[in-house]
Amino acid sequence: MSRPSPLALALLLCIQVAFGFIPGNKIGARSSNNKHALQMAPKFNKSTQKWEITDGTDTEGAYGPVGSLIRQGPVPFFKRVTDPDLYEQMVLKYMANDKCGRAEAQGNMDAYLANPSDWAYQKNAEKNGAAKYDYANANTDPGQLVLTGTWAVFVTSLLGRVIYVFVTEKM
């Protein structure tokens, strides 16, 4: 029985990620009722010194590490994979302080980890009246994901071939 080629597997993975990760329409939407948002906010536990999820915390629209990779690239992805507790605390603190949903908090923390200066600049601009940037749905257009995945497979294959030829010629 023959095994599929690595290129075919990489292409299949890119297609699966592109089409299997389409966000909902209400991700990152703010609650219009501030009292309700305050009840849903995570609470800080002074005895454990950690933020904790309350029973009514909005977790709709939360996404996994691949979502972080798609939205903001490898830096937040690796931070999330290597230190999940710190990432979770960052998200919960942002949810509590900004009174927003989990998807919006994750999007903002991913953007912060990817480029803190630009994220802070955007937040400052928003405070001064600029339009609010939707980090929860950033870079999730399926067409763009397919294009990016296709180029990534092509460039990786080409680079792999160049390295292979270079190494085999040295032997």
Side-chain angles (χ1 to χ4, degrees):
M1 181 185 221
S2 66
R3 292 178 24 189
S5 72
L7 180 59
L9 290 175
L11 183 60
L12 182 63
L13 178 63
C14 289
I15 291 170
Q16 181 182 4
V17 168
F19 289 109
F21 191 80
I22 299 175
N25 292 333
K26 296 181 180 181
I27 293 176
R30 285 185 183 260
S31 172
S32 59
N33 185 351
N34 282 340
K35 185 176 182 182
H36 180 66
L38 285 173
Q39 293 171 348
M40 290 176 39
K43 305 288 184 207
F44 186 73
N45 185 335
K46 291 181 181 179
S47 63
T48 62
Q49 294 293 308
K50 291 190 177 226
W51 290 93
E52 296 177 351
I53 297 174
T54 58
D55 291 337
T57 301
D58 176 18
T59 57
E60 182 180 330
Y63 54 85
V66 174
S68 296
L69 180 65
I70 289 171
R71 284 171 177 79
Q72 296 295 333
V75 174
F77 171 78
F78 286 119
K79 185 66 173 177
R80 188 170 178 177
V81 170
T82 59
D83 198 353
D85 292 333
L86 177 62
Y87 181 84
E88 180 70 11
Q89 289 300 303
M90 291 171 64
V91 169
L92 292 175
K93 183 177 180 180
Y94 190 89
M95 288 173 67
N97 291 340
D98 209 48
K99 298 166 189 63
C100 65
R102 184 171 190 84
E104 182 179 346
Q106 283 183 295
N108 276 278
M109 290 300 92
D110 289 342
Y112 173 79
L113 291 170
N115 190 338
S117 298
D118 284 352
W119 179 81
Y121 179 81
Q122 177 64 32
K123 287 298 168 188
N124 193 34
E126 288 172 8
K127 285 180 185 175
N128 293 329
K132 186 174 183 283
Y133 186 77
D134 185 12
Y135 289 110
N137 295 315
N139 305 323
T140 57
D141 175 45
Q144 189 62 39
L145 288 173
V146 169
L147 181 62
T148 302
T150 303
W151 272 107
V153 168
F154 174 73
V155 169
T156 303
S157 301
L158 184 63
L159 184 61
R161 178 69 180 159
V162 168
I163 292 170
Y164 174 77
V165 169
F166 181 74
V167 169
T168 56
E169 284 182 4
K170 291 282 184 175
M171 295 178 158

